[in-house]
Amino acid sequence: MSVRIVLVDDEPMFRAGISMVVGSQPDLDVVGEASNGAEALERVEESRPDVVLMDIQMPVTDGVAATRALVGRLGEECPRILVLTTFDLDEAAAAAIEAGASGFLLKSSEPDFLLAAIRAVASGSQVVAAGATRQLWERFRARPTRQTGPEYDALTGREREILRRAAEGLSNAEIAEVEVLATGTVKTHVSRILTKLGLRDRVQLVVYAYEHGLI
């Protein structure tokens, strides 16, 4: 089945260009468009997409507020949100990650990278603009750490180790090699970790690890 996508941007020409690029792919399908964050909420609830391409700077309701509203309203049923920004990293992009976005990339990214990013986010992976990854995680690292709660206590010793490995940026295959496990087993562990911690994806897992001083 194709990945269903909603485009959210206040520039009609930009939306048209992205729609043309995305629509050229047999496995991707644009099912809705919105010109601001308020409209995005309506479009998402109408079309139930898998991925939302969300601009940051928009009138009425910006991308950060819209991301927070979508995650708060839809919970586990919220689609993956990929934020589009003009800068490698700014406060808005970091705020969008904290609000629940699965990553961000530059509007100037090559079309092939955009398409790959959409597919990656749809599959549950994280996507962060090239060159901004270290900056982003260092931003979270610099903040005061918080104590872990009962959600962390519920993790097994193996799950805590895999959490740390995943937060360090290792893929499932790399974790499997280090921990001497099957890749499928690691995938199952990661899924259980996300469920126990109440997290949506690996981006939120990394943020959680930094906020609680686990890495």
Side-chain angles (χ1 to χ4, degrees):
M1 296 180 63
S2 62
V3 176
R4 295 165 56 83
I5 301 160
V6 163
L7 307 178
V8 185
D9 195 285
D10 61 333
E11 298 181 15
M13 289 294 289
F14 183 79
R15 292 201 310 272
I18 295 297
S19 182
M20 185 179 300
V21 171
V22 173
S24 69
Q25 304 298 300
D27 61 328
L28 304 178
D29 185 20
V30 177
V31 297
E33 297 185 15
S35 61
N36 59 62
E39 288 183 7
L41 300 179
E42 298 177 7
R43 297 294 177 273
V44 168
E45 292 191 328
E46 289 171 359
S47 56
R48 295 294 177 173
D50 303 300
V51 175
V52 177
L53 293 182
M54 181 80 76
D55 186 23
I56 287 284
Q57 302 294 337
M58 294 182 293
V60 185
T61 303
D62 64 28
V64 176
T67 296
R68 187 177 296 112
L70 282 171
V71 173
R73 182 178 300 182
L74 300 179
E76 294 183 358
E77 296 183 359
C78 184
R80 305 294 182 185
I81 300 172
L82 182 59
V83 171
L84 304 177
T85 180
T86 307
F87 305 102
D88 274 354
L89 179 63
D90 56 19
E91 286 295 338
I97 293 294
E98 289 184 295
S102 296
F104 70 92
L105 72 161
L106 301 179
K107 284 189 171 184
S108 59
S109 298
E110 294 293 329
D112 286 347
F113 182 73
L114 170 64
L115 297 173
I118 292 172
R119 295 183 178 105
V121 168
S123 68
S125 298
Q126 65 190 49
V127 176
V128 177
T133 306
R134 183 177 296 278
Q135 281 182 281
L136 179 63
W137 304 143
E138 288 296 336
R139 186 180 297 256
F140 290 120
R141 185 201 297 272
R143 298 175 180 177
T145 57
R146 296 186 294 173
Q147 291 292 324
T148 56
E151 78 287 345
Y152 182 76
D153 296 337
L155 299 180
T156 66
R158 172 72 81 178
E159 288 170 344
R160 294 181 186 184
E161 181 61 20
I162 290 177
L163 163 62
R164 186 176 67 82
R165 300 286 189 186
E168 290 173 344
L170 273 65
S171 67
N172 287 349
E174 290 168 333
I175 296 174
E177 183 176 355
V178 173
E179 296 292 327
V180 194
L181 296 169
T183 302
T185 300
V186 173
K187 184 176 181 180
T188 298
H189 277 306
V190 171
S191 179
R192 288 175 179 169
I193 292 167
L194 294 176
T195 298
K196 288 183 179 181
L197 298 182
L199 305 175
R200 297 183 64 242
D201 52 35
R202 292 172 78 109
V203 170
Q204 303 305 312
L205 183 151
V206 175
V207 173
Y208 179 93
Y210 274 111
E211 288 183 336
H212 293 85
L214 301 179
I215 56 175

